[in-house]
């Protein structure tokens, strides 16, 4: 299975959601799309999910998540990236390439206005949960490869550094 196939299943989940901006609903609809596949097919999607999550394992994206969510632990960063998955491939890839693009997303603007965290733990574990629903076990084949090195962290609480690195997002949060 490929990353393209993984995104096809996410697109199915988004298309079936009554409200595609509801990350939890998209995660549930994606899980339902996955359990319509065979257990072997679902197991093969564990590697593409890992690859997509590894591509988004970036310190600048973590800094954006930290600012948006008022803090961001290791798990919180995983769940933020789970939320980002629910936005679909085009947005996911655009934001991974340029985390400052988060400022342009209506869902982010709404979350800032309503002081909501952007997280979706269920989407982060959607393949494992679907596999469990099909087999009764979470014993998926291990994904190969490690997450990349994050590089140097910067002080996510330093407002001047945040403005320098992610100016549009900083501007949104200052409104």
């Amino acid at each position: 299975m490929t990353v393209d196939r993984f995104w096809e299943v996410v697109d199915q989940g988004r298309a079936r959601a009554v409200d595609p901006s509801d990350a939890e609903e998209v995660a549930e609809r994606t899980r339902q799309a996955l359990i319509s596949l065979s257990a072997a097919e679902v197991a093969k999607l564990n590697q593409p999910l890992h690859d997509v999550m590894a591509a988004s394992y970036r310190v600048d994206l973590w800094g954006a998540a930290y600012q948006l969510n008022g803090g961001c632990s290791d798990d919180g960063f995983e769940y933020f990236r789970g939320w980002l998955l629910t936005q679909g491939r085009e947005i996911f890839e655009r934001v991974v390439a340029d985390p400052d693009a988060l400022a342009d997303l209506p869902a982010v603007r709404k979350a800032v206005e309503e002081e909501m965290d952007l997280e979706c733990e269920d989407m982060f574990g959607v393949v494992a949960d679907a596999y469990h629903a099909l087999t009764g076990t979470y014993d998926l084949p291990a994904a190969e490869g490690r997450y990349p090195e994050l590089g140097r962290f910067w002080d996510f609480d330093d407002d001047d550094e945040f403005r320098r690195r992610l100016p549009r997002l900083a501007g949104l949060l200052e409104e």
Side-chain angles (χ1 to χ4, degrees), residues 42-126:
V42 172
K44 289 178 184 174
L45 288 171
N46 195 43
Q47 184 66 50
L49 172 60
H50 171 81
D51 294 343
V52 167
M53 293 300 282
S56 66
Y57 193 68
R58 298 175 42 139
V59 73
D60 52 351
L61 189 58
W62 198 329
Y66 182 92
Q67 286 286 332
L68 284 167
N69 289 344
C72 191
S73 66
D74 292 350
D75 287 346
F77 186 45
E78 297 289 332
Y79 306 154
F80 172 80
R81 291 179 298 135
W83 169 84
L84 191 54
L85 285 173
T86 69
Q87 303 306 296
R89 186 177 196 165
E90 179 185 334
I91 288 174
F92 184 91
E93 290 178 350
R94 180 170 20 126
V95 167
V96 168
D98 176 18
D100 209 23
L102 283 160
D104 303 329
L105 302 180
V108 171
R109 291 182 170 278
K110 180 180 177 186
V112 168
E113 286 174 17
E114 297 179 6
E115 298 181 7
M116 295 173 22
D117 285 347
L118 297 170
E119 296 183 334
C120 187
E121 180 180 0
D122 290 345
M123 191 64 175
F124 175 70
V126 72

